[in-house]
Every structure is written in structure tokens, then in C-alpha cells.
Amino acid sequence: MDILNKKNEYSRELYHDMKNHILCMKYDANIEKSNSYIEKVELLLEEYGNKFNTGNIILDTVLHEKNNLCLRNNITFTCDINFKNCSFMEDEDICSIFSNLLDNAIEACLKVEPSKRNIILKGLSMDSIFVAKLSNSTNNDINFKDNEFMTTKTNKLLHGIGLKSVKSTLKKYDGEILFDFDKNIFYTKILIPIP
């Protein structure tokens, strides 16, 4: 919560200073310098603007942080989640599920050329179940063996834990996770029953 409060404060300061930023850009005769200045301000606005409103502050914070990672790595991140009906879930479980899934998606995107990096996350409640669908670019370097994904990293003890954590957390809520992939896209779907 402290991190979110600090970011919100910085965001308010940035918006407050916007008039001065615009003045500086308006009267700078050097077009190239002005364009560079505009790009920096746009990136700051994008990074600190509150663009997530899922109905859960923990999920909003996770999405905000992962969006910043995407911005810094030229990954297009599209997100549309309504998580209001999932207040029964514990904060640490929400953080674990979405942080691990998005970290994996970002990691996969980094193996793809920048112009093709893309992550789409959508989620909503349907009847008495929350469904989230995540798709991300991939280079097709997927190691799937015995109905499990194997880490492609050299230190097997320290990696591959995130997905196991997601599965065990979902199990706590009688939820499940499904995967699919093709040549260029990896798909993840999570299903969580709403009590």
C-alpha cells in the first residue's frame, strides 16, 4: 500500500507541474529537443497515470507495476478486468496469481523482437465463475513434458516455481488453469468459482 500511495502522490505532482512542462515545450525553438522532452513527459504520464480500476486495489497495483515493466521493454500491454466479485480472495493470493502469470508473459515477450511484443489480459465474472484470459507473444520456445511446463533456464531449482505457485493458489479456491499455444502466441486461462 505504501508503494501505491507514493506513486499516487508522484502522479498528482506530475499532473500539477504539467502546465510548466507545456510552457517549456511551447517556447523551445529546438524542435528535436522539444520532441524529446514531449516523449519523456508522455512516458512519465503513462508510467504514473492510474489506468487500472479492476475493483481491487492489490490487483490494480500489480497491473500498474507490470505495465511499467512492459513500457520499459517495448511491450504493448492491454488489460480489461472486472474483479469486483472476487473480494473473497486473499490479497497475497491475488498478487501471487497475477504477478507470476504476468512475469512469465513478460519474460516470453522479451524473447521476441520488440515490434511483436504483446500481452492481452481480460477477465470478468460469468454466472458464478471468474474467468481470466491471458495471451502473450512467444518465440515458440516452449518446453512441455508430462503435462508440465519445464523451465528453459539453467538453474532449475530457482526457476519454474511461479507456475507451481499459481496452480497451488488456484487449488485453494477450487480454481483451475488451462494452457494452449501456437506458433506465435501463448494462451493462459484461469477459472475461479465465486462462492
Side-chain angles (χ1 to χ4, degrees):
M1 285 298 236
D2 232 17
I3 293 169
L4 187 62
N5 289 335
K6 285 178 187 172
K7 291 204 181 260
N8 283 340
E9 180 63 30
Y10 184 78
S11 181
R12 285 194 296 274
E13 289 172 14
L14 184 63
Y15 279 103
H16 178 265
D17 291 344
M18 198 48 55
K19 286 181 189 174
N20 293 325
H21 288 302
I22 291 169
L23 265 173
C24 290
M25 291 181 274
K26 195 174 185 179
Y27 294 105
D28 192 337
N30 184 336
I31 299 292
E32 203 172 291
K33 189 176 173 187
S34 286
N35 285 342
S36 174
Y37 190 78
I38 289 168
E39 284 176 21
K40 286 178 187 174
V41 171
E42 283 177 333
L43 190 61
L44 281 171
L45 287 172
E46 186 77 22
E47 190 170 330
Y48 287 96
N50 185 11
K51 66 187 265 182
F52 302 105
N53 186 12
T54 64
N56 181 283
I57 194 158
I58 298 300
L59 183 54
D60 291 348
T61 304
V62 168
L63 295 175
H64 181 79
E65 290 302 313
K66 300 310 174 186
N67 183 60
N68 288 344
L69 262 176
C70 288
L71 286 170
R72 288 192 292 272
N73 289 288
N74 298 312
I75 300 170
T76 302
F77 180 47
T78 306
C79 180
D80 182 18
I81 292 185
N82 182 338
F83 204 67
K84 291 176 184 160
N85 293 339
C86 296
S87 58
F88 61 92
M89 292 183 69
E90 293 181 32
D91 291 345
E92 59 270 18
D93 294 335
I94 295 166
C95 181
S96 175
I97 291 167
F98 288 97
S99 292
N100 282 307
L101 291 178
L102 286 167
D103 283 345
N104 287 347
I106 290 167
E107 189 176 315
C109 283
L110 293 176
K111 296 176 183 176
V112 176
E113 64 183 84
S115 64
K116 296 181 179 176
R117 294 176 181 172
N118 192 26
I119 296 173
I120 299 171
L121 176 61
K122 294 184 178 191
L124 61 113
S125 300
M126 295 174 18
D127 299 321
S128 60
I129 195 157
F130 173 78
V131 179
K133 295 178 182 178
L134 174 68
S135 63
N136 60 269
S137 307
T138 183
N139 67 353
N140 207 21
D141 184 19
I142 298 165
N143 191 356
F144 192 68
K145 182 179 175 184
D146 298 326
N147 212 24
E148 290 288 327
F149 289 99
M150 312 304 285
T151 184
T152 55
K153 295 179 182 170
T154 50
N155 190 338
K156 309 279 187 227
L157 290 175
L158 294 178
H159 300 287
I161 297 169
L163 205 48
K164 288 178 185 172
S165 175
V166 170
K167 287 178 180 179
S168 67
T169 303
L170 286 171
K171 195 173 187 179
K172 181 175 169 181
Y173 297 97
D174 295 320
E176 74 179 285
I177 188 166
L178 306 165
F179 304 102
D180 197 8
F181 50 92
D182 61 27
K183 185 177 165 189
N184 299 310
I185 301 178
F186 188 86
Y187 304 94
T188 305
K189 183 192 276 189
I190 61 170
L191 306 159
I192 303 171
I194 299 171

